[in-house]
Amino acid sequence: MYTGRTEKPCCLCGRPETAHRIDIPPRAVQLLKHSEPIAWRDIEGEVSLHFCADDWHTVRDLVLETGMSPLSRCNAARASFVLREDFEALLNATREEPDQRPLEAEMLNDARETLERFGDGDDLVETRDVVEARIVSWALEDLGSPKRPVS
């Protein structure tokens, strides 16, 4: 019996023990390694990437010190996400593609708020939140404006 998301291994090295997690918007899956076969438009909710303690230090340094995104090195097969049910196959009915723009807008707004608070010297902003905010911002910037869902 499936009871929801299961924890995933480190998206960089595959170790089963993970120490940190960041969430990215569904469209950002396209930026992950080996993402071609994934129907990212059918992802419901955010995509979670897990990192072991060793790789988290590398990711943190890459983002905060070098200003580079780690997404191209993250294996999409190790990401955690939920695909919408295949109603077309089950019920022989067509269902509209989900509109992920509200989720993207919310995640981008949260990222901007976190980066603004960090820039203002807020000591309560966690390093993990800053790393996630930069990755989300960069990913959505790289992908450009989302296309309208097909009606």
Side-chain angles (χ1 to χ4, degrees):
M1 175 171 152
Y2 179 71
T3 58
R5 289 186 185 186
T6 58
E7 290 301 311
K8 294 289 184 176
C10 176
C11 69
L12 292 173
C13 70
R15 279 193 199 136
E17 312 85 29
T18 57
H20 295 277
R21 182 190 100 206
I22 63 167
D23 295 327
I24 60 173
R27 208 160 45 105
V29 165
Q30 300 171 90
L31 302 174
L32 302 178
K33 182 169 56 170
H34 307 302
S35 65
E36 299 83 22
I38 296 175
W40 65 266
R41 290 177 181 89
D42 289 334
I43 295 175
E44 293 183 345
E46 69 279 341
V47 175
S48 296
L49 302 175
H50 303 268
F51 300 95
C52 67
D54 291 338
D55 285 341
W56 176 251
H57 293 297
T58 302
V59 167
R60 187 190 63 214
D61 291 348
L62 188 67
V63 170
L64 298 178
E65 295 178 17
T66 311
M68 295 176 62
S69 174
L71 293 183
S72 64
R73 300 248 183 228
C74 295
N75 190 334
R78 296 182 185 135
S80 178
F81 52 87
V82 175
L83 289 174
R84 71 182 175 142
E85 295 180 33
D86 192 356
F87 283 99
E88 288 91 2
L90 283 174
L91 304 174
N92 198 23
T94 303
R95 189 171 147 192
E96 284 188 31
E97 185 177 291
D99 184 1
Q100 297 170 344
R101 291 175 297 166
L103 175 63
E104 285 187 11
E106 179 183 342
M107 291 182 83
L108 185 57
N109 186 49
D110 289 348
R112 287 179 177 157
E113 183 179 297
T114 298
L115 293 173
E116 185 176 310
R117 286 180 32 227
F118 178 70
D120 290 343
D122 187 341
D123 292 338
L124 299 177
V125 178
E126 297 286 330
T127 301
R128 189 214 71 84
D129 295 334
V130 175
V131 170
E132 179 180 82
R134 286 188 178 170
I135 291 172
V136 167
S137 298
W138 294 336
L140 292 175
E141 183 179 302
D142 288 348
L143 294 167
S145 297
K147 306 275 192 280
R148 271 190 100 64
V150 179
S151 300

